[in-house]
Amino acid sequence: MNQDPLWYKDAVFYELNVRAFCDSDGDGHGDFRGMIQKLDYLLYLGVNCVWLLPFYPSPLRDDGYDVADYYNISPKFGTLDDFREMLDVYHAAGIKVISDLIVNHTSDQHSWFIESRSSLDNPKRHWYVWSENDQRYLQTRIIFIDTEASNWAYDPHTGQYYWHRFYSEQPDLNFDNSEVQEEILNVMRFWLDMGLDGFRVDAIPYLFEREGTNNENLAETHQFLKRMRRVVDDEYPGRILLAEANQWPRDLLPYLEPDEFQMAFHFPIMPRLFMALRKGNRQDVVDIMNDTPPISPENQWCMFLRNHDELTLEMVTEEQRQWMWKEYAPDDRMRLNLGIRRRLAPLLDNDIRKINLLNALLFSLPGSPIVYYGDEIGMGDNIWLADRNGVRTPMQWDESKNAGFSGADITYEPVINDNGYGYQKVNVAAQIDKPDSLLNMTRNLIKVRSAHPVFGRGGFTMLEPENTAILAYERELSEAAKMVVEGAARVLVVANMSGEEQKVTMGIDAVQGTDLLTGQTHHLNGPLILNPYEYLWLKLG
Ligand code: GLC
């Protein structure tokens, strides 16, 4: 097991939906025993840390992000003992496990809320945010705009309104109440005591409310988040907190202080990778990287292309959003809230060159990459399923019944079974023996990245050669880092974002570089020729 306290800087993460991964008992839902069975696959892929989507008891209004009990797991996924065994088995194999921690809100079925709404003087009343009217905090945006008209919901029993940033079935906890704060810290301890390696902390900008603000990123929220971090540092050193805050890089900086989160998702770069690829021009990526301030050495960005939510278009301009919808969501049904409910392969026209290219960027930009389960085999989506479920369908293992996911007659959602992406064609078994399959190309990127800590720890310099179809940057280890880590010290990444052959003169001091992915040597004292969507990871010096 990696004992380095900075392990997360070198790690490749895998976002795993237990429910979707492998069903060991044939009830149509994946479970922890199924996850244990699939350990070998994750070892083959080469990922180092699994991020588990919520597995707590829940009425599933928001697919588990509506927690009904923080101290248990949903019986559909198994027992606490199964969970512990999974942790032991994964740890023994060298894979760390973090899970979603949802603290902003609970389910309205949580006993705390049931008590809270039962009377005005119930001891749990002030565990949630209640109001006489729905006219407070009007400067707060609505996140689930397709379903919710207000952040307030009326409770007829007590004649007051309660505050919710997501579905009305997800009342927000009242962090002004110290009992709530203490309880949430105890929830953390419960899972960390069991051996979990950290949390992806959900929806953290919204913990506190203050009149006259937009109720995001408030100072009070940061104070509490620092308390969370103190628990980790004092009681569980080496475990990590990853911030889910869909914000601009400059607004994320306070979260990435050394006394707050070790990691934060870099949301705004994600749509810009898709923009640059569609335009065959690097500029959108250059702009956002120029806008990304430096962070301290113990902090790290988390990079991703897709996840379990819609491809969010919150961190783009209105004009860019309309453009993204036009280009990537031509059918209205593909749009959801401020985003696009599609998976990676369908977004990229199932073109393996484009998928490999974006993966090559994902794995080489500054930060730690996250692979969304199924994207490594190019799984499709089902836009006709409700909410975001169309990108949460069962993992496709082989061509047998239910893609080898489950022996049940009915699974929690149907397996993808269409012409382009049906499980008979797109599955792990069909790809594992083919060196050029998406699975093995992804695996190779992970392998090479993992052998060269420069990708996780090195500095980043954007290069701007004359040809704007070429996205190019250098990653370089500091002198100090060179002493402690192995692998290449300086890597030049060159990517042809366009569908045409491109010629580019790099104009850097190196005369040649060896591609870490293919072993081929490329000369840099003359122009480089890149095939459509080709990428190089050139070791310099
Ligand atoms: C986060 C999750 C999303 C969930 C929301 C509310 O954004 O990624 O799936 O619906 O929080 O918990």
Side-chain angles (χ1 to χ4, degrees), residues 62 65 105 144 166 170 200 202 244 308-309 388 392:
D62 187 5
Y65 284 92
H105 44 266
F144 287 166
F166 296 91
Q170 291 167 295
R200 175 258 193 200
D202 183 67
E244 193 232 0
H308 63 291
D309 287 324
R388 291 147 289 176
R392 302 175 182 179

